[in-house]
């Protein structure tokens, strides 16, 4: 019972953080999020802005789903984990191109940030039960 409660708390915290991050993408941290757009994409300001805005909308959507869509927790956890994987190249780009944003103003800080991405992926899977679903699916 305690495990279920802990999973729910983590799920709600992750969902709330996603909603907050999505709002930040659309408003007060928009320029800083542009620093995480991978540099292998065209360096066009409009494209970078569309990338930030669209990822913000996705983050808000996934955050709300994490909080409210109890019937589809596993699907939501899988989608959020996939999202974290898909945005990881932006974090790698920030590290390899030495781009300062979000207080990540040294190579060490940017590298440590990279180490947290797998924890986010696992948190999305664990808090929704998607980890057990995947284990069961692949052990058949």
């Amino acid at each position: 019972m305690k495990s279920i409660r802990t999973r729910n708390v983590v799920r709600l915290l992750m969902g709330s953080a996603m909603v907050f991050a999505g709002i930040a993408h659309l408003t007060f941290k928009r320029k800083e999020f542009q620093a995480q757009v991978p540099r292998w994409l065209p360096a066009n300001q409009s494209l970078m802005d569309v990338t930030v805005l669209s990822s913000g909308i996705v983050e808000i959507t996934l955050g709300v789903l994490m909080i409210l869509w109890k019937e589809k927790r596993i699907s939501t956890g899988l989608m959020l984990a996939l999202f974290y994987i898909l945005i990881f190249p932006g974090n790698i780009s920030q590290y390899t191109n030495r781009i300062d944003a979000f207080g990540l103003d040294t190579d060490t800080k940017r590298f440590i940030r990279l180490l947290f991405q797998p924890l986010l992926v696992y948190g999305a899977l664990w808090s929704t039960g998607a980890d057990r679903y995947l284990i069961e699916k692949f052990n058949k």
Side-chain angles (χ1 to χ4, degrees):
M1 191 66 152
K2 185 177 180 183
S3 175
I4 292 170
R5 193 176 357 206
T6 304
R7 286 176 191 258
N8 283 332
V9 167
V10 171
R11 180 180 52 79
L12 293 172
L13 287 172
M14 290 188 83
S16 298
M18 290 299 291
V19 170
F20 179 79
I23 292 168
H25 272 74
L26 303 178
T27 58
F28 63 97
K29 289 288 187 181
R30 198 159 153 183
K31 290 285 184 202
E32 286 197 78
F33 279 109
Q34 288 177 4
Q36 291 187 301
V37 175
R39 293 303 181 245
W40 44 264
L41 289 175
N44 175 298
Q45 189 63 38
S46 295
L47 177 62
M48 291 172 74
D49 200 39
V50 166
T51 301
V52 169
L53 292 173
S54 58
S55 64
I57 291 167
V58 170
E59 285 183 338
I60 292 169
T61 302
L62 288 170
V64 168
L65 292 176
M66 285 288 282
I67 295 167
L68 299 177
W69 205 14
K70 294 177 183 174
E71 299 81 23
K72 297 288 185 178
R73 280 186 187 153
I74 291 171
S75 298
T76 302
L78 292 169
M79 287 186 292
L80 183 55
L82 178 60
F83 178 78
Y84 286 141
I85 291 167
L86 292 174
I87 64 169
F88 192 54
N91 299 336
I92 293 170
S93 174
Q94 184 179 4
Y95 171 72
T96 58
N97 292 295
R98 296 180 160 169
I99 300 169
D100 296 345
F102 303 107
L104 304 174
D105 54 4
T106 68
D107 287 343
T108 301
K109 290 178 183 177
R110 287 185 287 268
F111 181 75
I112 290 170
R113 163 71 171 85
L114 295 177
L115 300 177
F116 282 95
Q117 203 73 11
L119 294 175
L120 290 172
V121 171
Y122 185 71
L125 297 174
W126 179 80
S127 69
T128 59
D131 60 335
R132 288 183 273 172
Y133 168 79
L134 290 172
I135 290 167
E136 290 172 14
K137 183 169 180 72
F138 290 107
N139 282 335
K140 287 185 179 182

